[in-house]
Amino acid sequence: SEPWTGIMKHVTEGSLVCNDFFFPLAGVFLGIIAYLNFSTSNAVVIGVQCYIAAFHTGAVFTHLRVGHHPAAAAAPGIFIVIAFAVLAIRDNF
């Protein structure tokens, strides 16, 4: 609903430089990624985890670059740690 409501721009006080369609598209992509995360193919899961780590690394740097409190970077940062944990588990089995 971001393109019509502008809730994320309101919450972030307009500090993020994202297009209005960024958050809905990101949600669609992350939904597809969540589905693919349950694949039986190790290659698919490794690719998915790399995407998750890259996506959330971008979010960490964006929060820091626009001057948000450093704790704001912790929210997406935890998903980077989880992605690497899943990679480690999946790589060993």
Side-chain angles (χ1 to χ4, degrees), residues 16-41:
L16 296 180
V17 290
C18 299
N19 185 305
D20 287 344
F21 290 97
F22 173 78
F23 289 107
L25 285 176
V28 169
F29 285 134
L30 288 175
I32 293 167
I33 291 297
Y35 175 77
L36 291 174
N37 211 19
F38 291 99
S39 172
T40 56
S41 169

Side-chain angles (χ1 to χ4, degrees), residues 2-4 13 19 27 31-32 36 54-56 58 63 65 70-73 78:
E2 174 62 20
W4 299 279
E13 299 172 348
N19 185 305
I32 293 167
L36 291 174
F55 180 85
H56 287 92
H63 282 294
R65 184 187 57 161
I78 191 67

Side-chain angles (χ1 to χ4, degrees), residues 30-79:
L30 288 175
I32 293 167
I33 291 297
Y35 175 77
L36 291 174
N37 211 19
F38 291 99
S39 172
T40 56
S41 169
N42 277 345
V44 171
V45 174
I46 288 171
V48 163
Q49 294 305 316
C50 289
Y51 174 81
I52 291 170
F55 180 85
H56 287 92
T57 299
V60 167
F61 286 118
T62 299
H63 282 294
L64 296 175
R65 184 187 57 161
V66 298
H68 291 163
H69 190 278
I78 191 67
F79 291 104

